[in-house]
């Protein structure tokens, strides 16, 4: 019986050694004293070692003690204690006249037959080149972000200069029609400048809607409203973020609708307010611009001006619908994007954390 038992152990050890030695991955087989029993051919190739010289050598004595560090000792202590599967450890190996190698080391106790002596299998992965590539990519991405923010900052400054020139020319021209065209161009340029300004300070390219609309309305108010106590622009909702490409279209829509309201809703010095309201409902959203002005005459013709055409075109890009509704008092224009139909009877915004959602990436057409 004893001979058969030893024979089984010998067979198991021989098989284990054969598997370890021929493994394509860098492996070490250790005994309970953390002495190397065998090393795979790939381990010897990666670390320029001789398999025959490794056998019988303590693990921490490898490369003249360069493997003796706190991370590896912690891993081996946990493995010997048998406290479940130990997590992989990152180890930096500094060998003489060589660059630092970044290693990921894993260790497992082997449980087979009835051997009294523990055996530990150690797997080593050299991730030096992968880490270097990742670092280079991250650095390149960081530099690109900084460069893009600087470009956007300069673009915003340039657009503001252009807007100032347009406004100055509008104030000096004697033609009412020309003045109107120049002022409209000024407001549209300022809306894009406001967006570029926000993008230059945005780390991930997303735009916080409320802050964007607030800054946009401040710009419009400063250039078009002489007395802020007479007509006020109010931003409501918008507690969330949208992609930069979506915010461009939304900002231009708001600009056109606000300018239109300022032109037509408050004749003869009539006071009032214009409210911009943007709300998320899951993947759906709605943008409303409403005023409390004189409203639309029942016999008002359908407008086909440049501003109306711009709003319609931008809404189509966003796969959204435009609806103009008479209010009492005033008028409301709604831009509605519906990607998912709400369940019948479901409250549209019942306790929904709107700041955590955004329009889906497919909300804007290609």
């Amino acid at each position: 019986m004893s001979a058969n038992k030893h024979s089984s152990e010998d067979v198991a050890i021989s098989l284990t050694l054969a598997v370890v030695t021929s493994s394509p991955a860098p492996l070490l087989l250790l005994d309970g004293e953390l002495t190397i029993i065998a090393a795979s051919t790939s381990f010897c190739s990666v670390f320029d070692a001789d398999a025959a010289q490794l056998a019988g050598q303590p693990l921490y004595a490898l490369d003249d003690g360069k493997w003796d560090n706190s991370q590896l000792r912690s891993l081996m202590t946990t493995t010997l204690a048998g406290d479940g599967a130990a997590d992989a450890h990152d180890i930096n190996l500094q060998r003489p006249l060589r660059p630092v190698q970044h290693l990921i080391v894993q260790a497992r106790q082997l449980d087979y037959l009835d051997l009294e002596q523990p055996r530990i299998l150690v797997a080593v992965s050299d991730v030096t080149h992968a880490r270097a590539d990742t670092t280079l990519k991250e650095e390149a991405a960081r530099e690109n972000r900084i460069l893009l923010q600087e470009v956007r900052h300069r673009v915003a400054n340039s657009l503001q200069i252009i807007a100032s020139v347009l406004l100055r020319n509008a104030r000096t021209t004697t033609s009412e029609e020309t003045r109107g065209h120049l002022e409209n161009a000024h407001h549209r340029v300022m809306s894009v400048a406001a967006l570029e300004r926000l993008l230059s300070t945005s780390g991930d390219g997303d735009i916080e809607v409320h802050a964007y609309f607030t800054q946009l309305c401040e710009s419009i108010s400063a250039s078009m409203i002489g007395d802020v106590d007479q007509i006020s622009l109010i931003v409501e909702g918008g507690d969330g973020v949208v992609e930069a490409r979506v915010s461009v279209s939304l900002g231009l829509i708001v600009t056109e609708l606000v300018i239109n309201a300022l032109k037509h809703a408050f004749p003869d010095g009539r006071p009032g307010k214009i409210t911009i309201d943007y709300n998320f409902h899951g993947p759906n959203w709605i943008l409303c611009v409403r005023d409390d002005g004189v409203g639309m005459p029942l016999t008002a013709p359908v407008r086909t001006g440049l501003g109306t055409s711009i709003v319609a075109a931008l809404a189509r890009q966003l796969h959204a619908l435009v609806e103009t509704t008479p209010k009492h008092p005033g008028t409301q224009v709604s831009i509605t994007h519906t990607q998912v139909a709400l369940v019948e009877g479901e409250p549209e915004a019942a306790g929904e954390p709107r700041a955590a959602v955004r329009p889906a990436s497919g909300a804007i057409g290609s």
Side-chain angles (χ1 to χ4, degrees):
M1 293 295 295
S2 176
N4 290 337
K5 179 180 179 181
H6 289 305
S7 175
S8 297
E9 291 179 357
D10 291 342
V11 169
I13 291 175
S14 177
L15 177 60
T16 302
L17 292 175
V19 171
V20 170
T21 302
S22 60
S23 171
L27 297 178
L28 291 175
L29 180 64
L30 311 178
D31 62 18
E33 301 298 325
L34 301 184
T35 299
I36 298 173
I37 299 173
S40 67
T41 302
S42 58
F43 182 93
C44 296
S45 175
V46 170
F47 297 101
D48 299 323
D50 183 271
Q53 293 179 354
L54 289 179
Q57 186 176 162
L59 173 64
Y60 300 133
L62 284 175
D63 283 317
D64 296 326
K66 296 298 185 296
W67 287 68
D68 188 1
N69 58 62
S70 58
Q71 296 97 330
L72 184 58
R73 283 187 176 273
S74 174
L75 173 63
M76 301 314 299
T77 298
T78 303
T79 304
L80 283 171
D83 298 334
D87 294 332
H89 279 48
D90 290 356
I91 295 175
N92 293 330
L93 179 62
Q94 178 65 70
R95 297 193 290 169
L97 304 177
R98 294 176 180 269
V100 176
Q101 286 180 278
H102 301 287
L103 310 178
I104 295 179
V105 182
Q106 295 176 291
R108 297 288 187 274
Q109 278 207 53
L110 301 180
D111 183 16
Y112 61 96
L113 294 180
D114 59 347
L115 292 176
E116 296 179 357
Q117 294 297 326
R119 296 290 185 267
I120 299 173
L121 190 64
V122 178
V124 184
S125 300
D126 187 348
V127 295
T128 304
H129 296 301
R131 291 275 178 87
D133 290 343
T134 300
T135 301
L136 289 175
K137 289 178 181 178
E138 290 176 350
E139 181 64 22
R142 187 186 68 83
E143 291 179 355
N144 286 338
R145 285 194 298 271
I146 293 175
L147 179 60
L148 181 58
Q149 288 176 344
E150 177 63 23
V151 169
R152 281 171 169 162
H153 179 72
R154 293 177 182 273
V155 168
N157 289 341
S158 299
L159 288 173
Q160 285 189 312
I161 293 173
I162 294 171
S164 298
V165 172
L166 291 172
L167 186 60
R168 184 174 65 248
N169 289 338
R171 289 171 176 171
T172 58
T173 185
T174 57
S175 169
E176 289 296 329
E177 181 180 1
T178 302
R179 181 181 298 109
H181 291 319
L182 289 173
E183 288 178 346
N184 287 341
H186 164 263
H187 303 317
R188 288 167 182 138
V189 171
M190 286 299 294
S191 69
V192 179
L195 171 64
E196 291 296 332
R197 184 78 63 193
L198 279 177
L199 286 173
S200 69
T201 58
S202 175
D204 54 9
D206 287 337
I207 296 299
E208 202 283 312
V209 179
H210 191 277
Y212 173 41
F213 285 167
T214 299
Q215 183 172 333
L216 183 59
C217 288
E218 288 175 352
S219 174
I220 296 174
S221 178
S223 60
M224 289 194 69
I225 302 176
D227 186 356
V228 294
D229 294 328
Q230 188 78 0
I231 300 177
S232 59
L233 301 182
I234 301 172
V235 178
E236 296 179 350
D239 297 330
V241 296
V242 296
E243 296 175 6
R245 58 177 183 157
V246 176
S247 68
V248 173
S249 297
L250 293 176
L252 291 174
I253 288 174
V254 168
T255 300
E256 295 298 333
L257 294 178
V258 169
I259 291 175
N260 187 67
L262 290 173
K263 284 182 176 180
H264 302 287
F266 309 106
D268 304 322
R270 176 189 176 103
K273 67 178 180 179
I274 302 171
T275 303
I276 296 90
D277 190 2
Y278 185 88
N279 286 294
F280 299 99
H281 304 297
N284 305 332
W285 53 264
I286 181 169
L287 167 64
C288 294
V289 178
R290 58 182 179 270
D291 64 73
D292 60 355
V294 296
M296 298 183 302
L298 295 177
T299 58
V302 177
R303 291 194 182 100
T304 58
L306 178 59
T308 303
S309 300
I310 290 175
V311 171
L314 292 170
R316 284 195 298 272
Q317 282 188 335
L318 294 169
H319 295 179
L321 298 177
V322 182
E323 181 181 9
T324 302
T325 308
K327 291 293 184 180
H328 304 285
T331 305
Q332 174 175 296
V333 180
S334 302
I335 313 297
T336 305
H337 172 265
T338 304
Q339 180 172 315
V340 178
L342 295 175
V343 178
E344 184 177 356
E346 178 185 345
E348 289 187 341
E352 198 169 357
R354 293 182 299 175
V357 296
R358 70 183 69 192
S361 58
I364 187 169
S366 57

